[in-house]
Amino acid sequence: MEHVERVAVTPAAADLIGRLVARQGPVMFHQSGGCCDGSSPMCYPAGEFLTGDADVLLGRLVVDGVEPVPVWMSRSQFEYWKHTHLTIDVVPGRGAGFSLEAPEGVRFLIRSRLFSDEELVALDLL
C-alpha cells in the first residue's frame, strides 16, 4: 500500500460542495473540535478560516468540477484522530450557523473508521 488518504467525501456531500462552490467560490473545511457545534466539519469560503502551525492539513477532497477542497484539523485534535479515516457526508438537519450549508436544511457530518493495520503501516503509525 503506497498512499493512504485520511479524508474522503460521499457522493451526496460532493454534490452539495459543488453547489456551494457554484454560489460561493472555492471552499475549505475545518474539523470542529467540539463546543457549540459538536464535532462537525465546518465549511467556509476558502481562506476565511485562518490556519497555521496549530493546524494539520488532512487532505484535499476531490469533487468533480471544483478545485480540490482542503480539510484541516487542529494539531491537538489530530493527536486523538490520527488513527482514524474521516469521510465527510451530509444529512438532513440544521447545521452549524457558521458553516456554509446551514441555510440548505442539511448539515455536514463526519463518518469515521479506524485505519487497518496495513494503512497504519503505510502512514508510519504502527
Side-chain angles (χ1 to χ4, degrees):
M1 178 172 285
E2 292 181 27
H3 181 71
V4 175
E5 296 291 336
R6 290 189 169 277
V7 292
V9 63
T10 65
D15 180 63
L16 177 57
I17 290 167
R19 293 193 319 265
L20 293 173
V21 168
R23 280 198 309 261
Q24 304 284 332
V27 298
M28 64 179 286
F29 281 89
H30 193 277
Q31 173 60 38
S32 170
C35 185
C36 305
D37 297 315
S39 289
S40 299
M42 304 292 286
C43 185
Y44 300 102
E48 186 172 295
F49 187 95
L50 298 179
T51 59
D53 291 341
D55 299 289
V56 174
L57 178 62
L58 298 177
R60 297 180 188 276
L61 302 175
V62 176
V63 176
D64 287 341
V66 304
E67 60 187 65
V69 178
V71 179
W72 295 86
M73 177 182 283
S74 71
R75 188 169 303 282
S76 60
Q77 186 178 4
F78 177 72
E79 284 304 309
Y80 293 106
W81 290 70
K82 67 184 173 185
H83 297 94
T84 308
H85 180 273
L86 306 178
T87 299
I88 295 179
D89 198 359
V90 64
V91 295
R94 185 156 180 353
F98 299 113
S99 194
L100 289 177
E101 82 281 5
E104 302 290 319
V106 295
R107 64 186 181 92
F108 287 113
L109 172 85
I110 285 292
R111 300 196 186 277
S112 62
R113 67 168 176 82
L114 292 175
F115 284 120
S116 68
D117 287 347
E118 184 178 59
E119 290 169 320
L120 290 171
V121 168
L123 290 166
D124 200 25
L125 294 173
L126 190 64

